[in-house]
Amino acid sequence: MREPFRVLVVCTGNLHRSPLAERLLAFRLAPARGKFQVSSAGTAAVNGTPMDPAAALLLTEMGGDPTGAAARRLTAGVVGDAGLVLGAATEHREAAVRLRPVHGLGRAFTLREFARLLHEDDAAGLTDPAERAVALTRGAAVRRGASGGRSWDDDLVDPYGAPEPEARACAARIKEAVERIAAVVLG
């Protein structure tokens, strides 16, 4: 692959869940230098709004860098540029698909759903991380709906303005999914 594989993470305001997941995923995929471009957007984001300070603190504690994180509104063009769209919740996945139905249908998941649907066998024999990501995305799309897994656990509740324990619990769930995704993609 010549271009980096583009991953888009989506939530509502692009202030807490999606920038935290974006920056943490970029940090975890850093060993594959130049192979990935990870960004985020929000369905109701106000462009340029800085990342929630509570989320920035949690991200820093997990090794990520919140420097320069600013909200961006989700658009059809942003969805169309992504090879993989990861929503914080089902509503965010659905918003991406509504904006670009043909493109988004096979590429949009919730963050936790994608982590749950990953099977290393889908990328068997592939060593390039970006090529692995393409194959893993296709495999997860085929498996969706047939997995019978824990779909009830796929959504991340919005912790914006919530007490610290709730924000930490959400961050831990994001971290768990991101680490699974990075481990499988990097092989």
PDB file of all heavy atoms in Angstrom, residues 25 28-29 36 114-137 140 143 176-187:
ATOM      1  N   LEU A  25      -4.937   4.997  19.894  1.00  0.00           N
ATOM      2  CA  LEU A  25      -4.715   4.073  18.777  1.00  0.00           C
ATOM      3  C   LEU A  25      -3.495   4.503  17.956  1.00  0.00           C
ATOM      4  O   LEU A  25      -2.665   3.668  17.582  1.00  0.00           O
ATOM      5  CB  LEU A  25      -5.954   3.981  17.890  1.00  0.00           C
ATOM      6  CG  LEU A  25      -5.889   2.967  16.754  1.00  0.00           C
ATOM      7  CD1 LEU A  25      -5.637   1.547  17.268  1.00  0.00           C
ATOM      8  CD2 LEU A  25      -7.179   3.009  15.927  1.00  0.00           C
ATOM      9  N   ARG A  28      -0.461   3.402  19.850  1.00  0.00           N
ATOM     10  CA  ARG A  28      -0.256   1.948  19.801  1.00  0.00           C
ATOM     11  C   ARG A  28       0.173   1.469  18.402  1.00  0.00           C
ATOM     12  O   ARG A  28       0.849   0.446  18.286  1.00  0.00           O
ATOM     13  CB  ARG A  28      -1.514   1.211  20.226  1.00  0.00           C
ATOM     14  CG  ARG A  28      -1.919   1.453  21.663  1.00  0.00           C
ATOM     15  CD  ARG A  28      -0.943   0.803  22.626  1.00  0.00           C
ATOM     16  NE  ARG A  28      -1.440   0.863  23.983  1.00  0.00           N
ATOM     17  CZ  ARG A  28      -0.868   1.543  24.969  1.00  0.00           C
ATOM     18  NH1 ARG A  28       0.237   2.216  24.743  1.00  0.00           N
ATOM     19  NH2 ARG A  28      -1.387   1.558  26.178  1.00  0.00           N
ATOM     20  N   LEU A  29      -0.224   2.195  17.360  1.00  0.00           N
ATOM     21  CA  LEU A  29       0.155   1.811  15.991  1.00  0.00           C
ATOM     22  C   LEU A  29       1.462   2.467  15.544  1.00  0.00           C
ATOM     23  O   LEU A  29       1.930   2.217  14.429  1.00  0.00           O
ATOM     24  CB  LEU A  29      -0.964   2.169  15.003  1.00  0.00           C
ATOM     25  CG  LEU A  29      -2.266   1.386  15.160  1.00  0.00           C
ATOM     26  CD1 LEU A  29      -3.324   1.945  14.204  1.00  0.00           C
ATOM     27  CD2 LEU A  29      -2.051  -0.105  14.916  1.00  0.00           C
ATOM     28  N   PHE A  36      -0.282   4.204   8.999  1.00  0.00           N
ATOM     29  CA  PHE A  36      -1.627   4.539   9.461  1.00  0.00           C
ATOM     30  C   PHE A  36      -1.776   6.034   9.666  1.00  0.00           C
ATOM     31  O   PHE A  36      -0.841   6.709  10.078  1.00  0.00           O
ATOM     32  CB  PHE A  36      -1.945   3.826  10.785  1.00  0.00           C
ATOM     33  CG  PHE A  36      -1.997   2.337  10.635  1.00  0.00           C
ATOM     34  CD1 PHE A  36      -0.873   1.563  10.888  1.00  0.00           C
ATOM     35  CD2 PHE A  36      -3.152   1.721  10.211  1.00  0.00           C
ATOM     36  CE1 PHE A  36      -0.900   0.197  10.731  1.00  0.00           C
ATOM     37  CE2 PHE A  36      -3.187   0.342  10.048  1.00  0.00           C
ATOM     38  CZ  PHE A  36      -2.069  -0.416  10.306  1.00  0.00           C
ATOM     39  N   PHE A 114     -15.625  -3.817  16.656  1.00  0.00           N
ATOM     40  CA  PHE A 114     -14.516  -4.176  15.770  1.00  0.00           C
ATOM     41  C   PHE A 114     -13.490  -5.030  16.517  1.00  0.00           C
ATOM     42  O   PHE A 114     -13.031  -6.058  16.011  1.00  0.00           O
ATOM     43  CB  PHE A 114     -13.860  -2.926  15.186  1.00  0.00           C
ATOM     44  CG  PHE A 114     -12.822  -3.223  14.148  1.00  0.00           C
ATOM     45  CD1 PHE A 114     -13.177  -3.769  12.918  1.00  0.00           C
ATOM     46  CD2 PHE A 114     -11.485  -2.979  14.394  1.00  0.00           C
ATOM     47  CE1 PHE A 114     -12.216  -4.062  11.954  1.00  0.00           C
ATOM     48  CE2 PHE A 114     -10.516  -3.264  13.440  1.00  0.00           C
ATOM     49  CZ  PHE A 114     -10.882  -3.813  12.218  1.00  0.00           C
ATOM     50  N   ALA A 115     -13.143  -4.625  17.742  1.00  0.00           N
ATOM     51  CA  ALA A 115     -12.182  -5.398  18.540  1.00  0.00           C
ATOM     52  C   ALA A 115     -12.705  -6.820  18.768  1.00  0.00           C
ATOM     53  O   ALA A 115     -11.951  -7.785  18.713  1.00  0.00           O
ATOM     54  CB  ALA A 115     -11.918  -4.699  19.864  1.00  0.00           C
ATOM     55  N   ARG A 116     -13.995  -6.943  19.001  1.00  0.00           N
ATOM     56  CA  ARG A 116     -14.614  -8.246  19.263  1.00  0.00           C
ATOM     57  C   ARG A 116     -14.649  -9.125  18.014  1.00  0.00           C
ATOM     58  O   ARG A 116     -14.498 -10.344  18.091  1.00  0.00           O
ATOM     59  CB  ARG A 116     -16.040  -8.011  19.795  1.00  0.00           C
ATOM     60  CG  ARG A 116     -16.854  -9.241  20.052  1.00  0.00           C
ATOM     61  CD  ARG A 116     -18.190  -8.907  20.715  1.00  0.00           C
ATOM     62  NE  ARG A 116     -19.015  -7.928  20.047  1.00  0.00           N
ATOM     63  CZ  ARG A 116     -19.796  -8.185  18.997  1.00  0.00           C
ATOM     64  NH1 ARG A 116     -19.852  -9.391  18.492  1.00  0.00           N
ATOM     65  NH2 ARG A 116     -20.531  -7.219  18.465  1.00  0.00           N
ATOM     66  N   LEU A 117     -14.843  -8.521  16.846  1.00  0.00           N
ATOM     67  CA  LEU A 117     -14.992  -9.281  15.597  1.00  0.00           C
ATOM     68  C   LEU A 117     -13.664  -9.634  14.924  1.00  0.00           C
ATOM     69  O   LEU A 117     -13.657 -10.368  13.939  1.00  0.00           O
ATOM     70  CB  LEU A 117     -15.865  -8.503  14.608  1.00  0.00           C
ATOM     71  CG  LEU A 117     -17.321  -8.318  15.000  1.00  0.00           C
ATOM     72  CD1 LEU A 117     -18.028  -7.406  14.005  1.00  0.00           C
ATOM     73  CD2 LEU A 117     -18.030  -9.660  15.100  1.00  0.00           C
ATOM     74  N   LEU A 118     -12.556  -9.102  15.427  1.00  0.00           N
ATOM     75  CA  LEU A 118     -11.251  -9.373  14.813  1.00  0.00           C
ATOM     76  C   LEU A 118     -10.859 -10.842  14.956  1.00  0.00           C
ATOM     77  O   LEU A 118     -10.973 -11.422  16.030  1.00  0.00           O
ATOM     78  CB  LEU A 118     -10.161  -8.528  15.468  1.00  0.00           C
ATOM     79  CG  LEU A 118     -10.137  -7.055  15.113  1.00  0.00           C
ATOM     80  CD1 LEU A 118      -9.049  -6.352  15.892  1.00  0.00           C
ATOM     81  CD2 LEU A 118      -9.945  -6.846  13.631  1.00  0.00           C
ATOM     82  N   HIS A 119     -10.375 -11.402  13.851  1.00  0.00           N
ATOM     83  CA  HIS A 119      -9.811 -12.753  13.844  1.00  0.00           C
ATOM     84  C   HIS A 119      -8.499 -12.692  13.081  1.00  0.00           C
ATOM     85  O   HIS A 119      -8.473 -12.310  11.912  1.00  0.00           O
ATOM     86  CB  HIS A 119     -10.763 -13.740  13.151  1.00  0.00           C
ATOM     87  CG  HIS A 119     -11.908 -14.145  13.998  1.00  0.00           C
ATOM     88  ND1 HIS A 119     -12.025 -15.393  14.543  1.00  0.00           N
ATOM     89  CD2 HIS A 119     -13.008 -13.456  14.410  1.00  0.00           C
ATOM     90  CE1 HIS A 119     -13.140 -15.457  15.243  1.00  0.00           C
ATOM     91  NE2 HIS A 119     -13.752 -14.295  15.184  1.00  0.00           N
ATOM     92  N   GLU A 120      -7.430 -13.077  13.724  1.00  0.00           N
ATOM     93  CA  GLU A 120      -6.104 -13.019  13.094  1.00  0.00           C
ATOM     94  C   GLU A 120      -6.054 -13.797  11.790  1.00  0.00           C
ATOM     95  O   GLU A 120      -5.301 -13.442  10.891  1.00  0.00           O
ATOM     96  CB  GLU A 120      -5.034 -13.509  14.067  1.00  0.00           C
ATOM     97  CG  GLU A 120      -4.843 -12.555  15.214  1.00  0.00           C
ATOM     98  CD  GLU A 120      -3.494 -12.694  15.879  1.00  0.00           C
ATOM     99  OE1 GLU A 120      -2.499 -12.911  15.185  1.00  0.00           O
ATOM    100  OE2 GLU A 120      -3.473 -12.554  17.104  1.00  0.00           O
ATOM    101  N   ASP A 121      -6.848 -14.857  11.675  1.00  0.00           N
ATOM    102  CA  ASP A 121      -6.857 -15.666  10.456  1.00  0.00           C
ATOM    103  C   ASP A 121      -7.220 -14.851   9.218  1.00  0.00           C
ATOM    104  O   ASP A 121      -6.819 -15.199   8.112  1.00  0.00           O
ATOM    105  CB  ASP A 121      -7.849 -16.826  10.586  1.00  0.00           C
ATOM    106  CG  ASP A 121      -7.421 -17.833  11.634  1.00  0.00           C
ATOM    107  OD1 ASP A 121      -6.262 -17.769  12.091  1.00  0.00           O
ATOM    108  OD2 ASP A 121      -8.248 -18.686  12.004  1.00  0.00           O
ATOM    109  N   ASP A 122      -7.981 -13.763   9.396  1.00  0.00           N
ATOM    110  CA  ASP A 122      -8.367 -12.925   8.257  1.00  0.00           C
ATOM    111  C   ASP A 122      -7.160 -12.270   7.593  1.00  0.00           C
ATOM    112  O   ASP A 122      -7.236 -11.855   6.439  1.00  0.00           O
ATOM    113  CB  ASP A 122      -9.356 -11.838   8.688  1.00  0.00           C
ATOM    114  CG  ASP A 122     -10.705 -12.408   9.102  1.00  0.00           C
ATOM    115  OD1 ASP A 122     -11.076 -13.503   8.627  1.00  0.00           O
ATOM    116  OD2 ASP A 122     -11.387 -11.752   9.913  1.00  0.00           O
ATOM    117  N   ALA A 123      -6.060 -12.153   8.323  1.00  0.00           N
ATOM    118  CA  ALA A 123      -4.853 -11.529   7.789  1.00  0.00           C
ATOM    119  C   ALA A 123      -3.700 -12.524   7.693  1.00  0.00           C
ATOM    120  O   ALA A 123      -2.535 -12.122   7.619  1.00  0.00           O
ATOM    121  CB  ALA A 123      -4.459 -10.338   8.661  1.00  0.00           C
ATOM    122  N   ALA A 124      -4.031 -13.799   7.669  1.00  0.00           N
ATOM    123  CA  ALA A 124      -2.991 -14.837   7.611  1.00  0.00           C
ATOM    124  C   ALA A 124      -2.089 -14.628   6.396  1.00  0.00           C
ATOM    125  O   ALA A 124      -2.558 -14.364   5.287  1.00  0.00           O
ATOM    126  CB  ALA A 124      -3.628 -16.220   7.555  1.00  0.00           C
ATOM    127  N   GLY A 125      -0.793 -14.689   6.622  1.00  0.00           N
ATOM    128  CA  GLY A 125       0.180 -14.561   5.546  1.00  0.00           C
ATOM    129  C   GLY A 125       0.548 -13.125   5.202  1.00  0.00           C
ATOM    130  O   GLY A 125       1.463 -12.899   4.413  1.00  0.00           O
ATOM    131  N   LEU A 126      -0.146 -12.160   5.764  1.00  0.00           N
ATOM    132  CA  LEU A 126       0.146 -10.750   5.476  1.00  0.00           C
ATOM    133  C   LEU A 126       1.060 -10.197   6.562  1.00  0.00           C
ATOM    134  O   LEU A 126       0.787 -10.369   7.746  1.00  0.00           O
ATOM    135  CB  LEU A 126      -1.140  -9.929   5.413  1.00  0.00           C
ATOM    136  CG  LEU A 126      -2.140 -10.326   4.323  1.00  0.00           C
ATOM    137  CD1 LEU A 126      -3.431  -9.526   4.470  1.00  0.00           C
ATOM    138  CD2 LEU A 126      -1.536 -10.108   2.945  1.00  0.00           C
ATOM    139  N   THR A 127       2.122  -9.530   6.147  1.00  0.00           N
ATOM    140  CA  THR A 127       3.052  -8.962   7.121  1.00  0.00           C
ATOM    141  C   THR A 127       2.959  -7.440   7.199  1.00  0.00           C
ATOM    142  O   THR A 127       3.279  -6.863   8.224  1.00  0.00           O
ATOM    143  CB  THR A 127       4.509  -9.357   6.787  1.00  0.00           C
ATOM    144  OG1 THR A 127       4.811  -8.932   5.455  1.00  0.00           O
ATOM    145  CG2 THR A 127       4.692 -10.861   6.923  1.00  0.00           C
ATOM    146  N   ASP A 128       2.514  -6.799   6.121  1.00  0.00           N
ATOM    147  CA  ASP A 128       2.376  -5.343   6.128  1.00  0.00           C
ATOM    148  C   ASP A 128       1.169  -4.968   6.995  1.00  0.00           C
ATOM    149  O   ASP A 128       0.058  -5.435   6.739  1.00  0.00           O
ATOM    150  CB  ASP A 128       2.175  -4.825   4.703  1.00  0.00           C
ATOM    151  CG  ASP A 128       2.005  -3.329   4.679  1.00  0.00           C
ATOM    152  OD1 ASP A 128       3.018  -2.617   4.747  1.00  0.00           O
ATOM    153  OD2 ASP A 128       0.834  -2.865   4.616  1.00  0.00           O
ATOM    154  N   PRO A 129       1.367  -4.137   8.038  1.00  0.00           N
ATOM    155  CA  PRO A 129       0.270  -3.801   8.943  1.00  0.00           C
ATOM    156  C   PRO A 129      -0.936  -3.153   8.253  1.00  0.00           C
ATOM    157  O   PRO A 129      -2.082  -3.435   8.609  1.00  0.00           O
ATOM    158  CB  PRO A 129       0.903  -2.844   9.954  1.00  0.00           C
ATOM    159  CG  PRO A 129       2.357  -3.159   9.909  1.00  0.00           C
ATOM    160  CD  PRO A 129       2.631  -3.569   8.494  1.00  0.00           C
ATOM    161  N   ALA A 130      -0.700  -2.294   7.263  1.00  0.00           N
ATOM    162  CA  ALA A 130      -1.816  -1.651   6.564  1.00  0.00           C
ATOM    163  C   ALA A 130      -2.604  -2.674   5.744  1.00  0.00           C
ATOM    164  O   ALA A 130      -3.837  -2.635   5.708  1.00  0.00           O
ATOM    165  CB  ALA A 130      -1.308  -0.517   5.677  1.00  0.00           C
ATOM    166  N   GLU A 131      -1.911  -3.595   5.097  1.00  0.00           N
ATOM    167  CA  GLU A 131      -2.607  -4.656   4.356  1.00  0.00           C
ATOM    168  C   GLU A 131      -3.369  -5.561   5.314  1.00  0.00           C
ATOM    169  O   GLU A 131      -4.466  -6.017   5.007  1.00  0.00           O
ATOM    170  CB  GLU A 131      -1.607  -5.465   3.534  1.00  0.00           C
ATOM    171  CG  GLU A 131      -1.038  -4.697   2.365  1.00  0.00           C
ATOM    172  CD  GLU A 131       0.041  -5.474   1.612  1.00  0.00           C
ATOM    173  OE1 GLU A 131       0.282  -6.657   1.927  1.00  0.00           O
ATOM    174  OE2 GLU A 131       0.636  -4.874   0.703  1.00  0.00           O
ATOM    175  N   ARG A 132      -2.790  -5.806   6.481  1.00  0.00           N
ATOM    176  CA  ARG A 132      -3.485  -6.591   7.507  1.00  0.00           C
ATOM    177  C   ARG A 132      -4.768  -5.874   7.930  1.00  0.00           C
ATOM    178  O   ARG A 132      -5.814  -6.500   8.086  1.00  0.00           O
ATOM    179  CB  ARG A 132      -2.584  -6.817   8.731  1.00  0.00           C
ATOM    180  CG  ARG A 132      -1.444  -7.803   8.484  1.00  0.00           C
ATOM    181  CD  ARG A 132      -0.576  -7.997   9.721  1.00  0.00           C
ATOM    182  NE  ARG A 132      -1.314  -8.500  10.870  1.00  0.00           N
ATOM    183  CZ  ARG A 132      -1.642  -9.776  11.086  1.00  0.00           C
ATOM    184  NH1 ARG A 132      -1.285 -10.697  10.205  1.00  0.00           N
ATOM    185  NH2 ARG A 132      -2.318 -10.127  12.159  1.00  0.00           N
ATOM    186  N   ALA A 133      -4.697  -4.554   8.105  1.00  0.00           N
ATOM    187  CA  ALA A 133      -5.870  -3.778   8.513  1.00  0.00           C
ATOM    188  C   ALA A 133      -6.991  -3.884   7.481  1.00  0.00           C
ATOM    189  O   ALA A 133      -8.165  -4.026   7.841  1.00  0.00           O
ATOM    190  CB  ALA A 133      -5.486  -2.318   8.744  1.00  0.00           C
ATOM    191  N   VAL A 134      -6.647  -3.832   6.207  1.00  0.00           N
ATOM    192  CA  VAL A 134      -7.654  -3.971   5.148  1.00  0.00           C
ATOM    193  C   VAL A 134      -8.319  -5.344   5.234  1.00  0.00           C
ATOM    194  O   VAL A 134      -9.549  -5.459   5.219  1.00  0.00           O
ATOM    195  CB  VAL A 134      -7.023  -3.756   3.749  1.00  0.00           C
ATOM    196  CG1 VAL A 134      -7.993  -4.134   2.644  1.00  0.00           C
ATOM    197  CG2 VAL A 134      -6.546  -2.315   3.586  1.00  0.00           C
ATOM    198  N   ALA A 135      -7.522  -6.386   5.344  1.00  0.00           N
ATOM    199  CA  ALA A 135      -8.047  -7.751   5.414  1.00  0.00           C
ATOM    200  C   ALA A 135      -8.873  -7.968   6.683  1.00  0.00           C
ATOM    201  O   ALA A 135      -9.932  -8.618   6.642  1.00  0.00           O
ATOM    202  CB  ALA A 135      -6.900  -8.761   5.342  1.00  0.00           C
ATOM    203  N   LEU A 136      -8.422  -7.428   7.790  1.00  0.00           N
ATOM    204  CA  LEU A 136      -9.146  -7.574   9.054  1.00  0.00           C
ATOM    205  C   LEU A 136     -10.478  -6.841   9.017  1.00  0.00           C
ATOM    206  O   LEU A 136     -11.481  -7.321   9.561  1.00  0.00           O
ATOM    207  CB  LEU A 136      -8.285  -7.077  10.212  1.00  0.00           C
ATOM    208  CG  LEU A 136      -7.063  -7.939  10.523  1.00  0.00           C
ATOM    209  CD1 LEU A 136      -6.070  -7.176  11.390  1.00  0.00           C
ATOM    210  CD2 LEU A 136      -7.475  -9.247  11.175  1.00  0.00           C
ATOM    211  N   THR A 137     -10.514  -5.682   8.367  1.00  0.00           N
ATOM    212  CA  THR A 137     -11.766  -4.929   8.227  1.00  0.00           C
ATOM    213  C   THR A 137     -12.763  -5.716   7.390  1.00  0.00           C
ATOM    214  O   THR A 137     -13.938  -5.825   7.745  1.00  0.00           O
ATOM    215  CB  THR A 137     -11.499  -3.541   7.607  1.00  0.00           C
ATOM    216  OG1 THR A 137     -10.578  -2.825   8.452  1.00  0.00           O
ATOM    217  CG2 THR A 137     -12.769  -2.740   7.453  1.00  0.00           C
ATOM    218  N   ALA A 140     -14.058  -8.675   9.481  1.00  0.00           N
ATOM    219  CA  ALA A 140     -14.996  -8.244  10.524  1.00  0.00           C
ATOM    220  C   ALA A 140     -16.352  -7.899   9.912  1.00  0.00           C
ATOM    221  O   ALA A 140     -17.398  -8.209  10.495  1.00  0.00           O
ATOM    222  CB  ALA A 140     -14.431  -7.050  11.279  1.00  0.00           C
ATOM    223  N   ARG A 143     -18.238 -11.046   9.240  1.00  0.00           N
ATOM    224  CA  ARG A 143     -18.608 -11.710  10.490  1.00  0.00           C
ATOM    225  C   ARG A 143     -19.717 -10.979  11.246  1.00  0.00           C
ATOM    226  O   ARG A 143     -20.401 -11.572  12.074  1.00  0.00           O
ATOM    227  CB  ARG A 143     -17.349 -11.795  11.370  1.00  0.00           C
ATOM    228  CG  ARG A 143     -17.371 -12.876  12.387  1.00  0.00           C
ATOM    229  CD  ARG A 143     -15.984 -13.073  13.012  1.00  0.00           C
ATOM    230  NE  ARG A 143     -15.068 -13.671  12.034  1.00  0.00           N
ATOM    231  CZ  ARG A 143     -14.101 -13.019  11.411  1.00  0.00           C
ATOM    232  NH1 ARG A 143     -13.875 -11.757  11.652  1.00  0.00           N
ATOM    233  NH2 ARG A 143     -13.325 -13.626  10.545  1.00  0.00           N
ATOM    234  N   GLU A 176      -8.802  -1.074  26.385  1.00  0.00           N
ATOM    235  CA  GLU A 176      -8.901  -2.517  26.145  1.00  0.00           C
ATOM    236  C   GLU A 176      -9.146  -2.813  24.659  1.00  0.00           C
ATOM    237  O   GLU A 176      -8.464  -3.651  24.058  1.00  0.00           O
ATOM    238  CB  GLU A 176     -10.034  -3.096  26.989  1.00  0.00           C
ATOM    239  CG  GLU A 176     -10.317  -4.560  26.741  1.00  0.00           C
ATOM    240  CD  GLU A 176     -11.557  -5.034  27.473  1.00  0.00           C
ATOM    241  OE1 GLU A 176     -12.609  -4.361  27.408  1.00  0.00           O
ATOM    242  OE2 GLU A 176     -11.454  -6.093  28.117  1.00  0.00           O
ATOM    243  N   ALA A 177     -10.089  -2.096  24.053  1.00  0.00           N
ATOM    244  CA  ALA A 177     -10.396  -2.310  22.635  1.00  0.00           C
ATOM    245  C   ALA A 177      -9.236  -1.888  21.739  1.00  0.00           C
ATOM    246  O   ALA A 177      -8.860  -2.595  20.802  1.00  0.00           O
ATOM    247  CB  ALA A 177     -11.668  -1.545  22.259  1.00  0.00           C
ATOM    248  N   VAL A 178      -8.648  -0.729  22.033  1.00  0.00           N
ATOM    249  CA  VAL A 178      -7.526  -0.219  21.233  1.00  0.00           C
ATOM    250  C   VAL A 178      -6.343  -1.183  21.283  1.00  0.00           C
ATOM    251  O   VAL A 178      -5.723  -1.473  20.250  1.00  0.00           O
ATOM    252  CB  VAL A 178      -7.123   1.194  21.715  1.00  0.00           C
ATOM    253  CG1 VAL A 178      -5.740   1.580  21.220  1.00  0.00           C
ATOM    254  CG2 VAL A 178      -8.154   2.209  21.266  1.00  0.00           C
ATOM    255  N   GLU A 179      -6.034  -1.691  22.455  1.00  0.00           N
ATOM    256  CA  GLU A 179      -4.896  -2.607  22.564  1.00  0.00           C
ATOM    257  C   GLU A 179      -5.144  -3.900  21.801  1.00  0.00           C
ATOM    258  O   GLU A 179      -4.230  -4.430  21.173  1.00  0.00           O
ATOM    259  CB  GLU A 179      -4.570  -2.863  24.033  1.00  0.00           C
ATOM    260  CG  GLU A 179      -3.929  -1.642  24.661  1.00  0.00           C
ATOM    261  CD  GLU A 179      -3.574  -1.804  26.122  1.00  0.00           C
ATOM    262  OE1 GLU A 179      -3.976  -2.800  26.759  1.00  0.00           O
ATOM    263  OE2 GLU A 179      -2.879  -0.900  26.636  1.00  0.00           O
ATOM    264  N   ARG A 180      -6.356  -4.389  21.821  1.00  0.00           N
ATOM    265  CA  ARG A 180      -6.681  -5.608  21.037  1.00  0.00           C
ATOM    266  C   ARG A 180      -6.528  -5.327  19.542  1.00  0.00           C
ATOM    267  O   ARG A 180      -5.939  -6.096  18.821  1.00  0.00           O
ATOM    268  CB  ARG A 180      -8.109  -6.063  21.365  1.00  0.00           C
ATOM    269  CG  ARG A 180      -8.662  -7.058  20.357  1.00  0.00           C
ATOM    270  CD  ARG A 180      -8.926  -8.405  20.957  1.00  0.00           C
ATOM    271  NE  ARG A 180      -9.600  -9.281  20.001  1.00  0.00           N
ATOM    272  CZ  ARG A 180      -8.967 -10.156  19.235  1.00  0.00           C
ATOM    273  NH1 ARG A 180      -7.663 -10.280  19.294  1.00  0.00           N
ATOM    274  NH2 ARG A 180      -9.632 -10.931  18.397  1.00  0.00           N
ATOM    275  N   ILE A 181      -7.090  -4.202  19.097  1.00  0.00           N
ATOM    276  CA  ILE A 181      -7.009  -3.852  17.677  1.00  0.00           C
ATOM    277  C   ILE A 181      -5.550  -3.706  17.251  1.00  0.00           C
ATOM    278  O   ILE A 181      -5.129  -4.284  16.239  1.00  0.00           O
ATOM    279  CB  ILE A 181      -7.808  -2.557  17.389  1.00  0.00           C
ATOM    280  CG1 ILE A 181      -9.304  -2.826  17.563  1.00  0.00           C
ATOM    281  CG2 ILE A 181      -7.500  -2.022  15.988  1.00  0.00           C
ATOM    282  CD1 ILE A 181     -10.158  -1.557  17.647  1.00  0.00           C
ATOM    283  N   ALA A 182      -4.769  -2.947  17.986  1.00  0.00           N
ATOM    284  CA  ALA A 182      -3.354  -2.731  17.624  1.00  0.00           C
ATOM    285  C   ALA A 182      -2.584  -4.029  17.612  1.00  0.00           C
ATOM    286  O   ALA A 182      -1.783  -4.287  16.690  1.00  0.00           O
ATOM    287  CB  ALA A 182      -2.717  -1.737  18.576  1.00  0.00           C
ATOM    288  N   ALA A 183      -2.806  -4.888  18.586  1.00  0.00           N
ATOM    289  CA  ALA A 183      -2.086  -6.158  18.649  1.00  0.00           C
ATOM    290  C   ALA A 183      -2.380  -7.033  17.433  1.00  0.00           C
ATOM    291  O   ALA A 183      -1.463  -7.618  16.833  1.00  0.00           O
ATOM    292  CB  ALA A 183      -2.443  -6.910  19.927  1.00  0.00           C
ATOM    293  N   VAL A 184      -3.632  -7.106  17.022  1.00  0.00           N
ATOM    294  CA  VAL A 184      -4.003  -7.952  15.875  1.00  0.00           C
ATOM    295  C   VAL A 184      -3.524  -7.328  14.572  1.00  0.00           C
ATOM    296  O   VAL A 184      -2.993  -8.015  13.686  1.00  0.00           O
ATOM    297  CB  VAL A 184      -5.517  -8.237  15.854  1.00  0.00           C
ATOM    298  CG1 VAL A 184      -5.912  -9.023  14.612  1.00  0.00           C
ATOM    299  CG2 VAL A 184      -5.938  -8.995  17.111  1.00  0.00           C
ATOM    300  N   VAL A 185      -3.683  -6.010  14.439  1.00  0.00           N
ATOM    301  CA  VAL A 185      -3.252  -5.328  13.203  1.00  0.00           C
ATOM    302  C   VAL A 185      -1.741  -5.428  13.021  1.00  0.00           C
ATOM    303  O   VAL A 185      -1.250  -5.711  11.926  1.00  0.00           O
ATOM    304  CB  VAL A 185      -3.711  -3.857  13.209  1.00  0.00           C
ATOM    305  CG1 VAL A 185      -3.011  -3.056  12.121  1.00  0.00           C
ATOM    306  CG2 VAL A 185      -5.219  -3.771  13.030  1.00  0.00           C
ATOM    307  N   LEU A 186      -1.004  -5.228  14.082  1.00  0.00           N
ATOM    308  CA  LEU A 186       0.450  -5.269  13.977  1.00  0.00           C
ATOM    309  C   LEU A 186       0.988  -6.695  13.879  1.00  0.00           C
ATOM    310  O   LEU A 186       2.123  -6.903  13.465  1.00  0.00           O
ATOM    311  CB  LEU A 186       1.102  -4.534  15.158  1.00  0.00           C
ATOM    312  CG  LEU A 186       0.828  -3.030  15.226  1.00  0.00           C
ATOM    313  CD1 LEU A 186       1.423  -2.436  16.488  1.00  0.00           C
ATOM    314  CD2 LEU A 186       1.339  -2.315  13.981  1.00  0.00           C
ATOM    315  N   GLY A 187       0.162  -7.657  14.257  1.00  0.00           N
ATOM    316  CA  GLY A 187       0.552  -9.062  14.150  1.00  0.00           C
ATOM    317  C   GLY A 187       1.556  -9.408  15.164  1.00  0.00           C
ATOM    318  O   GLY A 187       2.436 -10.119  15.206  1.00  0.00           O
TER     319      GLY A 187
END
